[in-house]
Amino acid sequence: EPLYVAFHDEEWGAPVHNDRKLFELLTLSQALAELSWPVILSKRGEFREMIDAFYNASVCDLKGKKINQLSKSNGRTLLSEQKLRAVVANAKQIQKVVREFGSFDNYCWSFVNHRPITNGYRHARQVPTKTPKSEAMSKDLMRRGFQCVGPTTVYSFMQVAGIVNDHLRCCFRFDQVRSQPKDAEENMRAEIRLSSHDSEDSEISEV
């Protein structure tokens, strides 16, 4: 499955901090209850169109007929009605989370103290389907009105969004993914230093 291989080699487990992308990955993780990753990835274009339509905007104004139109792939519905309504409800709830936390990213990463968990398992059989962290996030999401976000779905989301690094130690992506948060921190520090330097230059020129 070339799409699946590319997804593993380039995306799965890499830390994500973009709200729109996090919503997409949460939706795809929910779809795993009905479809496999290869099938989901083969329809990713259609999923993205649907997700964009629900994420942007007037989700509260979407009616049943409009939802069905946006959620079809070649005349066939991408997900069950329960999952579709969950996508709409979740898009609506994300707007509330953003107002409270500043971003969906800030909310999701707060469950791991804004640092990815690196498990370092040696065998696939050791990788859990849920953890106390995913149970805590699941419980809080449901309390906020999110739907179809059980602890197993949430753990799949945490894995794909890089909140948890569950690449096996023998996988070449294990070290690559583990180094990405450090690179991001170094880039942020460099930006802060540059901003501070520009500010000092500005003050000198004014003098």
Side-chain angles (χ1 to χ4, degrees):
E1 297 285 354
L3 281 176
Y4 197 20
V5 172
F7 179 64
H8 167 273
D9 293 355
E10 298 166 19
E11 279 190 76
W12 194 84
V16 174
H17 293 283
N18 175 275
D19 280 8
R20 159 62 186 73
K21 182 69 179 290
L22 286 168
F23 177 57
E24 176 186 339
L25 296 178
L26 177 61
T27 302
L28 298 185
S29 297
Q30 292 171 315
L32 281 173
E34 300 178 351
L35 305 168
S36 66
W37 271 123
V39 172
I40 291 169
L41 295 172
S42 71
K43 299 176 180 292
R44 198 165 186 183
E46 292 97 322
F47 269 108
R48 280 179 168 158
E49 285 181 21
M50 177 189 74
I51 289 165
D52 282 338
F54 293 163
Y55 180 74
N56 290 326
S58 46
V59 286
C60 9
D61 297 330
L62 287 173
K63 305 298 180 187
K65 187 176 179 181
K66 183 65 174 175
I67 291 171
N68 288 332
Q69 287 174 350
L70 290 169
S71 59
K72 289 187 181 294
S73 170
N74 297 323
R76 295 184 178 181
T77 306
L78 285 168
L79 295 170
S80 66
E81 183 178 348
Q82 179 192 21
K83 288 290 188 294
L84 291 174
R85 297 204 172 277
V87 176
V88 176
N90 295 347
K92 188 176 178 181
Q93 297 308 320
I94 280 178
Q95 295 173 4
K96 296 179 183 178
V97 168
V98 170
R99 286 196 291 271
E100 182 177 346
F101 290 86
S103 66
F104 188 51
D105 163 53
N106 198 37
Y107 169 78
C108 293
W109 284 85
S110 68
F111 288 90
V112 294
N113 201 25
H114 301 278
R115 298 279 299 179
I117 295 173
T118 301
N119 285 319
Y121 296 117
R122 295 184 179 278
H123 307 286
R125 65 177 179 272
Q126 295 175 296
V127 181
T129 56
K130 62 182 179 180
T131 64
K133 294 285 186 186
S134 76
E135 289 174 344
M137 187 188 291
S138 168
K139 186 177 179 179
D140 194 70
L141 286 167
M142 287 191 279
R143 180 180 67 81
R144 293 175 182 278
F146 284 77
Q147 298 177 17
C148 298
V149 284
T152 300
T153 293
V154 169
Y155 194 64
S156 294
F157 165 65
M158 294 174 79
Q159 289 174 313
V160 70
I163 298 171
V164 172
N165 177 4
D166 265 348
H167 285 284
L168 301 182
R169 280 188 173 276
C170 59
C171 176
F172 76 97
R173 285 291 283 164
F174 175 75
D175 286 323
Q176 287 182 357
V177 166
R178 188 169 57 166
S179 70
Q180 286 185 14
K182 297 176 184 175
D183 293 342
E185 284 181 12
E186 288 172 5
N187 291 337
M188 188 179 295
R189 290 195 189 101
E191 288 175 10
I192 292 171
R193 286 196 299 270
L194 182 60
S195 173
S196 174
H197 182 68
D198 289 344
S199 176
E200 288 173 4
D201 287 346
S202 175
E203 290 175 7
I204 291 170
S205 63
E206 286 176 7
V207 172

